[in-house]
Amino acid sequence: MLTQAQQDQFAADGFIVVENVIDSGTLTAVVDEYAALMDRLYDEWHDAGLVPASKPGMTFFDKIGLAERNGVDWYQHFDISLPHDGISDATPMHHGPAVFAMITHANVLDMVEALLGPEISSNPIQHVRIKPPNDQVGKGETRAQLVSTDWHQDKGVTLESANETQMITVWIAINDATIENGCLQVKPGTRVDILPHCLKTQVGITDNYLPAGEPVPTPVKAGGAVVFHPLTPHASLSNQTDGYRWSFDIRYHVTGQSSGREQFPSFVARSRRDPGSVLRDPAVWKDMWETTRHTLAHSEVINQHRWAADGPYCA
């Protein structure tokens, strides 16, 4: 899936943009799966008096817009992970078969194999990002899944157990990601260390340690991907359009190494050494997350990252 030139660029710059990774059928299945979920949720919200009745022809994004304007906290229902805290048995999340098919898509795993090798696990530090127009986001909203993302390294949002883990992020565009609607931007170049981060409104690289040089935006069309090294600093631009920008950031690590968030479930996505270990049933993936949710709901809170707001680099 990756040419030698692309692998060389990744080694030099810490990222590559690859178009046409996910086929249209897989994309359509993801969109349809989320639309069906939204239809059910919207009816529930209407029955509870939270949103007006739906009208014929309303789209997925129309319904998100109405939910946003009426103060409904809709995001977590669509995420493919759990939040940092406040987890209960009722915390919503989504782990459907179409998303599983995208995460385990052969084209994606071929790219990851070219960079990490053939023993690949799906890393649980991953999210859906359905970003509203910047001027429509609720007041005080700071979640990186909904607003522009601060500069950070993906290894920086793991726990220390993953310091030596070989890891890759594949950021998949569900609709076109443009400079105007808030595509990713990166600081290219080979990195060897985790830079100091602070827990502010988001977990982000401390200003004094942000590498110099102009950021490089990475627009990519629907079905394409931005692939980047876990030490590559990146952020997102804000969505200045009147539409939504929809993506997934999916991560993979070498099987047997720490995921960096061991309380969440990983699974083997590809193995040349032991093909029988590969998870192929999306229902099992869903059950893994539901079991994890129950366990964490009845346990002491476990930190999901290593940084504190009063850390030595945050003064």
Side-chain angles (χ1 to χ4, degrees), residues 13 16 22 28 63 79 82 85-86 100-102 127 146 163 181 184 186-187 197 203 205 226 240 248 251 287 304 312:
D13 293 340
I16 50 174
I22 302 295
T28 298
K63 291 181 178 181
D79 199 16
L82 286 163
D85 52 31
F100 182 83
M102 179 182 64
H127 297 283
L146 295 170
N163 279 358
N181 72 6
L184 288 183
V186 303
K187 294 273 190 173
H197 289 56
V203 176
I205 297 170
V226 184
Q240 299 298 320
F248 288 83
R251 296 186 181 90
D287 183 67
Q304 293 190 24

Side-chain angles (χ1 to χ4, degrees), residues 116-133:
L116 288 186
E119 304 305 316
I120 302 168
S121 283
S122 172
N123 185 283
I125 309 175
Q126 48 194 16
H127 297 283
V128 64
R129 300 182 188 270
I130 307 173
K131 298 205 174 186

Side-chain angles (χ1 to χ4, degrees), residues 4 20 26 29-30 49 63 66 87 101 117 158-159 165-166 172 189 234 242 247:
Q4 187 59 54
N20 301 314
T26 300
V30 170
K63 291 181 178 181
L66 282 170
I87 297 170
T158 67
L159 295 172
T165 295
Q166 296 167 275
I172 300 171
H234 60 283
D242 58 3
S247 65

